[in-house]
Amino acid sequence: MKSTQIRQFLYQAVSLGMIIASALMVWKGLICITGSESPVVVVLTGSMEPGFKRGDILFLYMSKDPIRAGEIVVFNDGRKVPIVHRVIEVHERRDTREADILTKGDANDMDDRVLYTSSQHWLQQKYIKGRAVGTYF
Amino acid sequence: MHSFGYRLNALLTFAVTILALMCAMGSLSDNLNTPSPSAEIQIMNINWFQKQPQGNDEVSLTMNISADLQSLFTWNTKQVFIFVAAEYETPKNSLNQVSLWDAIIPAKEHAKFWIHTSNKYRFVDQGNNLRGKKFNLTLHWHVMPKTGKMFADKLVMTGYSLPEEYR
């Protein structure tokens, strides 16, 4: 093989490596900035229709602000797939400032109690991974 | 450098960037809108007020909700999700928010309305603190855009209270 061919191949390999590395940096940077493990999610179910349809892209942001009723949150209490639903009840304890939370999809008639793993009546704040702040097209 | 593949790649990248920019501008245009919503909630009747077998208080009430939320709508609004929450405090909890009723307003024409309804969702306390309880009814609205940032606000109406005794 001629040295120019080797050089070209190496050049392409390094370029590809740079592209992958910068994509990874942007992704990790977004995780840091938004404070959420998955700053961009795709809506997987139709339980939030007509607001969010299957396939819609949501931007998440996690701040230390307490969770309040009406917010659309992404939670994962040890299930395979995180769920994007709206908070309909909040009971915040005076002493610990921790809150018991109940969620429900806009298009569902029933709240999510049957979905919570470990048959808990309330969702703990720690299972909330992010708040939906915006949608892309 | 001028093959079909390169050109297609450049075109697609450019298109996606322009699309993202347009969505961002569309979202920013929502900030130009200054909403002036109004609402009024009357409790027409306390249907019943009981302590459940598990020990939690539950109340069923009928409300008259009227609101004018037309000023929330912009060209970039997909729908407005509204809900009425009873908000109160108890010795154990510094804040309780219980959603009693919600609705989706799909268009500006439907944003000025009047409804007579009992609570869609059960008003259950964590405990039995509701006798004689003073609470606020807050109308929350969440504007879901066609693209971009969602924003939310609320109107707090105070002065409601529950009966001293179960009935």
Side-chain angles (χ1 to χ4, degrees), chain B residues 35-116:
Chain B
S36 52
S38 63
E40 206 182 280
I41 304 181
Q42 271 180 304
I43 296 189
M44 304 307 289
N45 188 35
I46 304 282
N47 306 329
W48 49 263
F49 182 16
Q50 291 292 318
K51 182 169 162 172
Q52 290 179 338
Q54 304 99 323
N56 296 330
D57 280 350
E58 182 174 350
V59 62
S60 162
L61 38 80
T62 304
M63 303 173 280
N64 216 341
I65 305 169
S66 64
D68 180 0
L69 302 172
Q70 288 185 321
S71 56
L72 295 175
F73 280 80
T74 68
W75 68 273
N76 186 30
T77 303
K78 189 193 292 186
Q79 68 180 32
V80 175
F81 182 88
I82 60 173
F83 67 99
V84 170
E87 302 185 355
Y88 60 97
E89 53 173 21
T90 60
K92 195 172 79 160
N93 294 339
S94 53
L95 173 67
N96 297 282
Q97 287 179 311
V98 180
S99 173
L100 299 178
W101 173 87
D102 57 25
I104 289 177
I105 307 177
K108 196 168 178 171
E109 302 82 65
H110 303 116
K112 188 164 181 186
F113 66 91
W114 176 98
I115 181 172
H116 184 92

Side-chain angles (χ1 to χ4, degrees), chain A residues 55-86:
Chain A
D56 279 353
I57 297 175
L58 288 182
F59 296 119
L60 302 185
Y61 188 74
M62 193 62 199
S63 68
K64 292 253 182 337
D65 294 340
I67 303 282
R68 290 287 173 254
E71 295 177 346
I72 300 178
V73 295
V74 171
F75 66 92
N76 191 337
D77 54 349
R79 47 185 46 252
K80 287 208 208 96
V81 166
I83 297 183
V84 186
H85 278 174
R86 199 182 292 272

Side-chain angles (χ1 to χ4, degrees), chain A residues 50-52 68-70 86 88-94 97 100 104 106 122 132-137, chain B residues 19-20 78-79 81 83 89-99 104 121 126 142 144 147-150:
Chain A
F52 298 136
R68 290 287 173 254
R86 199 182 292 272
I88 61 167
E89 268 188 50
V90 171
H91 296 275
E92 186 177 286
R93 286 213 203 306
R94 231 177 256 285
R97 319 293 330 183
D100 286 338
K104 174 181 151 325
D106 286 350
W122 304 100
V133 292
T135 165
Y136 176 61
F137 191 41
Chain B
L19 183 63
K78 189 193 292 186
Q79 68 180 32
F81 182 88
F83 67 99
E89 53 173 21
T90 60
K92 195 172 79 160
N93 294 339
S94 53
L95 173 67
N96 297 282
Q97 287 179 311
V98 180
S99 173
I104 289 177
Y121 305 115
Q126 272 191 339
H142 285 252
M144 291 160 85
T147 173
K149 186 170 180 305
M150 298 193 292

